[in-house]
Amino acid sequence: ESANCSNTVGSFECQCGAGYEGNGTVGEGNCTDVDECAAGTDDCDALATCNNTKGSFVCACNSGYEGNGTNTTCMDVNECVEATNNCHESANCSNTVGSFECQCGAGYEGNGTVGEGNCTDVDECAAGTDDCDALATCNNTKGSFVCACNSGYEGNGTNTTCMDVNECVEATNNCHESANCSN
């Protein structure tokens, strides 16, 4: 089945088909498959895997690449753009040659992938890594935190911005009109 027979005057000739070697006759010569992959006679791309088949071979681009696998057709797949990555929703995806990397965004920690590791919120308030004023309350939010000056103080709540509110001057006190207000 892997040889071609040609009739000649008074005889015949056998010749192995493409991808086979031998003299084409049954018995000693037979036709044996040529492993083009092992022989290096395939035309697979450097970024592809060669798989020997009966009488031929098949090229397939390696994981992280796409194309038909022959010559220079294997191109990098951008898993970040194609959404074929397993990065967590709170992680940043970076395409690399033949693969990708996930890194948790600011305010999160973990390995950046869905499943084991994930990206978990860092509680900056509990960790003491916030920059809230000593006279402010720290409230953890997803991926960050918010500072709010305590009652009786005003400002944006960060560093040393909480200043005392003079309720007497601003007339925001509940002192009786016959009483003296003292801040």
Side-chain angles (χ1 to χ4, degrees):
E1 94 187 35
S2 56
N4 299 314
C5 181
S6 301
N7 191 34
T8 61
V9 177
S11 188
F12 64 92
E13 289 181 355
C14 298
Q15 187 177 15
C16 292
Y20 291 90
E21 61 187 0
N23 67 17
T25 60
V26 176
E28 281 184 31
N30 275 336
C31 288
T32 56
D33 177 51
V34 174
D35 187 342
E36 295 86 357
C37 303
T41 57
D42 63 86
D43 65 349
C44 293
D45 187 279
L47 299 171
T49 302
C50 181
N51 295 302
N52 191 53
T53 61
K54 286 187 176 188
S56 190
F57 60 93
V58 175
C59 303
C61 292
N62 296 335
S63 178
Y65 297 90
E66 61 187 359
N68 67 14
T70 58
N71 297 321
T72 56
T73 61
C74 292
M75 305 297 284
D76 179 51
V77 173
N78 187 335
E79 295 85 357
C80 301
V81 171
E82 306 254 338
T84 55
N85 63 74
N86 64 338
C87 293
H88 188 269
E89 63 183 11
S90 298
N92 300 312
C93 182
S94 300
N95 189 53
T96 61
V97 178
S99 191
F100 62 94
E101 292 177 351
C102 304
Q103 185 175 12
C104 292
Y108 293 91
E109 61 186 1
N111 69 12
T113 59
V114 174
E116 280 187 45
N118 281 323
C119 285
T120 54
D121 178 53
V122 173
D123 187 342
E124 295 85 358
C125 303
T129 57
D130 63 86
D131 63 350
C132 294
D133 188 281
L135 299 170
T137 302
C138 180
N139 294 304
N140 190 54
T141 62
K142 285 187 175 187
S144 191
F145 60 94
V146 175
C147 303
C149 291
N150 296 336
S151 179
Y153 296 89
E154 61 186 3
N156 68 14
T158 58
N159 296 321
T160 56
T161 61
C162 292
M163 307 298 272
D164 181 44
V165 174
N166 188 337
E167 294 85 359
C168 299
V169 172
E170 294 188 16
T172 56
N173 63 72
N174 63 352
C175 294
H176 188 271
E177 60 185 56
S178 300
N180 288 330
C181 179
S182 133
N183 189 38

